[in-house]
Amino acid sequence: MSGEKLLQVEGLSVRAGSQTLVREVSFALGPGECITLLGESGAGKSLLAQAVMGNLPVGLRASGRIGVSGWFTPAEQGPARRPLWGRTLALLPQEPALALDPLMPIAAQLAEVHALVRGLDPRVARSAAGQALEAAGLSDAASSYPWQVSGGMAQRAVATMALAGGARVLLADEPTKGLDARWRHLVVAWLQRVQREGGCVVTITHDLRVARALGGRIVVLRGGEVVEQGDAREVLDSPRHDYTRRLVAADPAHWTPWPQPAAPGELVLCARGLVKGFGVRRLFEGLDLDLHRGERLVVQGPSGIGKTTLGNVLLGLLPIDSGRLQRADGLSPQAFQKLYQDPVAAFAPFVSLERSLKDVARRHGRAWSTVLDQLERLRVPVSLLQRRPDQVSGGELQRVALARVLMVQPVLIFADEPTSRLDPITQQEAMAELVDSAVKTNTALVLVTHDDDIATAVSSRVLRFGESGWAEVPAAKAAAAEPVGAI
């Protein structure tokens, strides 16, 4: 390790009252170095990044010391580090829905970073923003508002903004979440570029492919404590701690596929000749689709190609431009349900999770004890229910959202990247709960995922979207169609 240290974290702890959420974490990074934080959802990885930035949620308190380029501040003095934001110390946040201004077009937000953080002339700032968006494949979305683009496109937009200030210390929290292989590879290349240019990177990820591609060192967290750390290849190839071994073994590449339904059940949805576009862009046309009870259909394709839009059309949340869409007779309005890609957008922001769940339980006549049983199977601590959606981790909220949807016992579930924020162990458990519940209740499941291993495990029927159109293909063929890269 070189003598110069860009980031030094010494004895960092985070507490909520008397409860310790992160305990005594220490590491140091010099120019060109990186460290990857792995661990279970809710282990404190994002809290660690927020504590380094000095941006912890209200009610949490940090202790320890943070050094940035040799300048140390007590961890609890977060405001002291704010002058470093953007130029020296930058965070790529986990939730783009919360990080982007919904009232400002994407290009204008990025240009503002170049102008205010880098001090560029407004005209030069707009030009720099345009170039960065083109490199991220977002030229067509430059004038769009955040709510008009897909989750993957918003993720790339946030990444361009986090990198725009040229900070030498970058904290990247789930930077490839919701991205297909092509864009995952690009974001990893961006992080590696920061290192090549003399910066350092702390990456939080649940994707073991990303951890392996980045190399460097790995720190594994569980329950807020470091249980293992070392060279990335050594940790992933020869894990020493039992939890790390379980984490690696639970990677979707090792999953056993679920048995396929013996025969499709009753028809629940019939689509013929569906056409949908936004502005001058046609997302899909001439799309025919039958969905039966018990079926598991996987939808795949590049970010922004129209997968979420298709789900919203099937659910009746968006009108079709032309074609015919018909539900089976006798279904209630709540028979079709959606698991959102960004779970934070699916909950009332100022209401506790317990209130949200109890409202749904009361509406559908479900006993509260059955809800608690569901949460226990998903390993959601009951203590979390007293918090608001913004006070829990993305992975924890994703599991609460799954419990809420299963409570309704729908006929069809459209699950949009429902496990993207979960560590491999929790991801496997949550997917098993989703699929097993669908099997038990004979529910049709439409699953959007960029992970080919998950697609293979869940279903052999895949609807594949591409720039040239759509087609139904076997899962193995869909996996082979993904670009080959470093990850």
Side-chain angles (χ1 to χ4, degrees):
M1 187 181 296
S2 61
E4 180 188 2
K5 296 294 183 291
L6 296 180
L7 176 64
Q8 292 166 272
V9 175
E10 298 181 353
L12 179 61
S13 296
V14 178
R15 294 179 176 82
S18 60
Q19 183 182 9
T20 300
L21 306 178
V22 177
R23 186 186 301 276
E24 296 288 331
V25 176
S26 300
F27 59 84
L29 290 173
E33 295 183 328
C34 70
I35 197 165
T36 300
L37 304 181
L38 299 178
E40 61 187 349
S41 303
K45 303 181 299 296
S46 296
L47 287 180
L48 190 152
Q50 292 172 314
V52 171
M53 290 294 295
N55 192 34
L56 280 173
V58 175
L60 303 186
R61 183 175 181 274
S63 60
R65 287 207 313 167
I66 306 296
V68 181
S69 296
W71 180 63
F72 283 88
T73 54
E76 63 266 27
Q77 293 182 7
R81 293 187 291 282
R82 293 190 180 183
L84 305 177
W85 287 8
R87 299 177 181 86
T88 305
L89 178 65
L91 173 67
L92 199 171
Q94 185 183 53
E95 298 294 348
L98 298 179
L100 295 171
D101 185 341
L103 303 179
M104 183 183 291
I106 289 172
Q109 294 188 53
L110 180 54
E112 188 175 73
V113 176
H114 282 290
L116 299 182
V117 177
R118 293 182 60 196
L120 299 183
D121 176 83
R123 184 185 304 173
V124 178
R126 287 193 295 271
S127 176
Q131 293 173 13
L133 292 176
E134 182 178 4
L138 295 171
S139 292
D140 292 341
S143 59
S144 300
Y145 292 90
W147 46 270
Q148 293 176 313
V149 302
S150 73
M153 295 169 76
Q155 184 76 25
R156 281 179 275 151
V158 168
T160 63
M161 294 175 197
L163 295 166
R168 296 185 70 195
V169 180
L170 176 65
L171 310 176
D173 194 352
E174 295 289 355
T176 61
K177 161 188 89 271
L179 299 183
D180 59 75
R182 174 191 178 189
W183 299 117
R184 212 166 48 229
H185 178 75
L186 179 67
V187 171
V188 168
W190 286 347
L191 301 181
Q192 292 169 331
R193 186 182 67 194
V194 172
Q195 295 171 240
R196 288 196 306 272
E197 293 176 352
C200 67
V201 179
V202 178
T203 304
I204 298 167
T205 185
H206 292 309
D207 193 329
L208 301 186
R209 293 165 300 186
V210 172
R212 190 177 293 277
L214 289 172
R217 287 178 291 146
I218 283 178
V219 170
V220 182
L221 289 169
R222 189 184 189 197
E225 296 189 20
V226 176
V227 297
E228 184 168 353
Q229 59 182 309
D231 174 79
R233 180 171 296 182
E234 291 180 4
V235 171
L236 295 175
D237 290 345
S238 304
R240 299 185 305 273
H241 194 277
D242 177 65
Y243 174 73
T244 311
R245 288 195 290 269
R246 290 171 51 211
L247 196 70
V248 173
D251 188 86
H254 303 144
W255 291 7
T256 300
W258 277 269
Q260 296 301 316
E266 301 170 0
L267 186 69
V268 297
L269 184 68
C270 176
R272 293 292 181 269
L274 296 188
V275 178
K276 182 62 182 177
F278 282 113
V280 298
R281 186 185 176 200
R282 185 65 55 85
L283 293 177
F284 50 82
E285 60 182 333
L287 194 151
D288 298 332
L289 185 65
D290 288 335
L291 290 172
H292 298 80
R293 292 196 71 124
E295 279 194 308
R296 300 195 297 270
L297 173 69
V298 170
V299 181
Q300 289 192 291
S303 302
I305 201 70
K307 305 182 297 297
T308 299
T309 297
L310 171 65
N312 289 336
V313 165
L314 298 180
L315 295 173
L317 300 176
L318 282 177
I320 54 175
D321 296 339
S322 62
R324 181 169 61 89
L325 186 63
Q326 184 174 356
R327 289 188 179 195
D329 294 335
L331 296 180
S332 72
Q334 295 82 31
F336 290 5
Q337 290 291 321
K338 179 177 179 178
L339 275 168
Y340 285 79
Q341 185 176 18
D342 291 322
V344 70
F347 285 85
F350 303 115
V351 174
S352 72
L353 296 175
E354 182 178 64
R355 171 67 183 276
S356 292
L357 291 178
K358 283 188 172 178
D359 284 348
V360 175
R362 184 167 51 253
R363 172 68 176 81
H364 294 276
R366 303 288 180 257
W368 183 241
S369 59
T370 63
V371 179
L372 295 179
D373 289 343
Q374 183 82 73
L375 293 171
E376 184 178 1
R377 289 194 296 273
L378 291 168
R379 292 198 296 118
V380 177
V382 176
S383 58
L384 291 184
L385 300 186
Q386 303 305 315
R387 303 180 190 176
R388 299 191 308 269
D390 63 336
Q391 295 174 323
V392 300
S393 74
E396 290 167 335
L397 192 61
Q398 206 162 32
R399 282 177 280 161
V400 174
L402 174 56
R404 186 175 62 173
V405 164
L406 294 178
M407 190 193 316
V408 181
Q409 298 181 351
V411 171
L412 181 148
I413 297 174
F414 179 77
D416 196 353
E417 295 283 358
T419 61
S420 60
R421 289 160 173 78
L422 303 180
D423 65 88
I425 296 173
T426 311
Q427 186 178 54
Q428 188 176 31
E429 293 172 346
M431 188 60 71
E433 187 69 22
L434 174 59
V435 175
D436 292 347
S437 294
V439 171
K440 187 184 303 181
T441 58
N442 205 24
T443 300
L445 174 62
V446 180
L447 173 68
V448 173
T449 179
H450 287 301
D451 193 309
D452 298 323
D453 295 317
I454 292 179
T456 300
V458 171
S459 179
S460 60
R461 185 185 176 198
V462 175
L463 185 64
R464 177 80 191 184
F465 280 84
E467 296 297 339
S468 58
W470 60 273
E472 281 203 36
V473 296
K477 186 174 180 181
E482 286 283 11
V484 177
I487 55 176

